[in-house]
Amino acid sequence: MNKQISILAFIGIALVSSFKVEKKGFSIVENKKEKRIDISIDGRIFTSYIYPDELMKPVLYPIRSSEGTFITRGWPFDPRPGERVDHPHHVGLWFNYGDVNGLDFWNNSTAIPSDKKNQYGTIKHAKVNKIQTANDYALLEVTKYWQEPTGRPILQENTQYLFSTDSGRRTIELTTTLTALKKNVLFTDNKEGLLGIRLARELEHPSDESAKFTDANGNITEVAQLDNNQVTGKYRSSEGKEGDQVWGTRGRWVNLDGKIGREAISIVIIDHPKNVGYPTYWHARGYGLFAANPLGQKAMSNGKEELNFSLDAGKSVTFKYQIIIQSGKHLSDKEINNIAQIFASSL
């Protein structure tokens, strides 16, 4: 009898071990050695908060749709065939700016020559303040410091990332508070900012031309013409602007529709009414840069407007954005307006 029970118990253990037990809901796992924090849904990684030494700012990278499809560019960390290899500072989803007290935080990367490094600032991860998870959401709060080339911090950044999911839709809500340390901090009007994401090749605009782009320090990057096969992206703003016409215009939100393989995808960035410069200008380029820039008004308006935003020592400013990643269909203007209205009512 005891022998029979032992055999049945063994069979039971074997049956359980033959099936993968999938963890339901969100989880957050920190790996300090690898300088990454993985955010997973039902046991599958959605994105990671990473801060390796070779990056000049922490970012969310890579980002996946609910089907597990990469919606961000892989290069330079995980190159994929057919990708562009321009702008090494365009990695994942990030938040920084092109002129803070004369320092360029936006364009900084390992590609900057050592004799020019004194013109660039670096954002360093400092600590994790809070991790909270549930079935339908995850919360990650971190502190970062915006540093001069000497390592002296000029801004403290506290950012809360709120991740959620519902029926093929994934959402990242980002709330960033910047506090000036010791001395006044000036954000001089500059086109390189503020919240940016670099998209997968399939979500770019089809283009038959190469192009050259100049950053705030006069450095030129050439974006080469590539094969447009399976390139399907198209921008549309809340004001009805489409394609390349979105760049340099204001809007409450911008939607990027496209397909990766057979998967229809919409990626939306929504501005919040309490943000400085609302509704934001859009630094949305057809080659895959999708960015909201409320502070670069002179650059975006051809000189008609200008905003040189400053923070006195000890004072703070908060920016809040919502990023929607919809899989399986394209979102309509009505659907996005409904989402934006709910987001606008949040504090």
Side-chain angles (χ1 to χ4, degrees):
M1 182 68 177
N2 290 338
K3 183 176 181 181
Q4 184 180 12
I5 292 173
S6 298
I7 292 172
L8 289 172
F10 176 78
I11 293 172
I13 293 170
L15 287 172
V16 170
S17 63
S18 67
F19 291 95
K20 181 180 180 182
V21 179
E22 187 178 77
K23 183 176 180 181
K24 294 296 183 181
F26 274 92
S27 65
I28 296 180
V29 177
E30 183 177 8
N31 187 326
K32 292 182 179 179
K33 184 178 180 180
E34 294 185 5
K35 297 186 177 182
R36 65 183 297 118
I37 301 171
D38 294 329
I39 298 92
S40 299
I41 306 172
D42 297 338
R44 301 169 64 194
I45 294 179
F46 169 22
T47 188
S48 299
Y49 171 86
I50 66 170
Y51 50 99
D53 293 338
E54 57 266 36
L55 266 179
M56 302 300 111
K57 74 276 187 180
V59 303
L60 296 182
Y61 169 91
I63 301 174
R64 299 167 175 84
S65 74
S66 61
E67 295 297 314
T69 303
F70 294 110
I71 61 103
T72 45
R73 178 176 68 166
W75 191 83
F77 293 125
D78 184 23
R80 302 181 205 125
E83 283 190 326
R84 299 186 191 272
V85 292
D86 56 79
H87 298 84
H89 49 282
H90 289 176
V91 179
L93 173 71
W94 68 92
F95 182 96
N96 63 8
Y97 195 63
D99 192 336
V100 183
N101 283 4
L103 295 172
D104 185 350
F105 286 82
W106 180 273
N107 290 287
N108 198 3
S109 76
T110 56
I112 302 300
S114 58
D115 62 341
K116 292 187 177 182
K117 272 291 189 179
N118 62 346
Q119 303 173 33
Y120 294 84
T122 303
I123 303 174
K124 289 291 186 180
H125 170 78
K127 61 180 179 177
V128 174
N129 301 318
K130 186 176 182 180
I131 289 176
Q132 185 175 325
T133 60
N135 283 339
D136 55 353
Y137 77 90
L139 181 69
L140 172 65
E141 293 184 1
V142 296
T143 293
K144 317 170 194 178
Y145 288 100
W146 295 43
Q147 298 180 349
E148 297 174 340
T150 60
R152 179 187 178 186
I154 59 175
L155 286 168
Q156 177 177 311
E157 174 187 334
N158 289 324
T159 290
Q160 173 185 282
Y161 302 95
L162 179 62
F163 307 94
S164 59
T165 185
D166 180 34
S167 301
R169 182 180 304 164
R170 291 182 169 180
T171 301
I172 302 170
E173 193 171 296
L174 178 145
T175 304
T176 293
T177 299
L178 301 176
T179 303
L181 302 174
K182 297 183 180 180
K183 65 178 182 179
N184 296 349
V185 177
L186 176 62
F187 296 78
T188 302
D189 195 304
N190 189 285
K191 73 179 178 68
E192 310 286 23
L194 181 67
L195 174 78
I197 183 171
R198 185 60 190 262
L199 300 163
R201 171 66 178 147
E202 294 91 337
L203 299 177
E204 296 177 15
H205 282 184
S207 175
D208 296 326
E209 299 178 355
S210 61
K212 293 183 179 180
F213 297 91
T214 306
D215 69 20
N217 293 309
N219 300 311
I220 298 174
T221 300
E222 183 167 357
V223 179
Q225 176 189 350
L226 296 174
D227 182 4
N228 285 318
N229 186 36
Q230 298 183 340
V231 177
T232 63
K234 186 177 183 179
Y235 292 116
R236 178 175 171 81
S237 79
S238 59
E239 311 310 302
K241 301 291 185 181
E242 293 190 340
D244 292 330
Q245 299 304 310
V246 169
W247 189 91
T249 63
R250 287 185 182 271
R252 295 174 290 114
W253 52 260
V254 165
N255 176 31
L256 177 73
D257 282 340
K259 291 182 71 176
I260 300 182
R262 295 182 178 181
E263 182 182 358
I265 295 175
S266 286
I267 300 172
V268 187
I269 300 178
I270 303 174
D271 195 15
H272 195 279
K274 291 188 177 180
N275 287 345
V276 173
Y278 178 86
T280 186
Y281 275 98
W282 293 95
H283 188 20
R285 297 291 196 186
Y287 65 80
L289 171 64
F290 187 5
N293 185 3
L295 305 182
Q297 298 187 10
K298 183 177 181 179
M300 299 289 177
S301 68
N302 288 323
K304 297 176 183 178
E305 302 176 77
E306 185 171 356
L307 177 61
N308 294 301
F309 181 76
S310 64
L311 278 178
D312 294 333
K315 298 296 183 181
S316 300
V317 62
T318 297
F319 295 91
K320 189 169 184 174
Y321 298 95
Q322 192 174 68
I323 300 96
I324 307 294
I325 303 155
Q326 177 70 55
S327 174
K329 70 172 188 176
H330 292 150
L331 293 172
S332 67
D333 289 2
K334 182 179 180 180
E335 288 174 305
I336 300 170
N337 281 325
N338 288 339
I339 297 169
Q341 185 175 0
I342 295 170
F343 179 56
S345 65
S346 64
L347 296 177

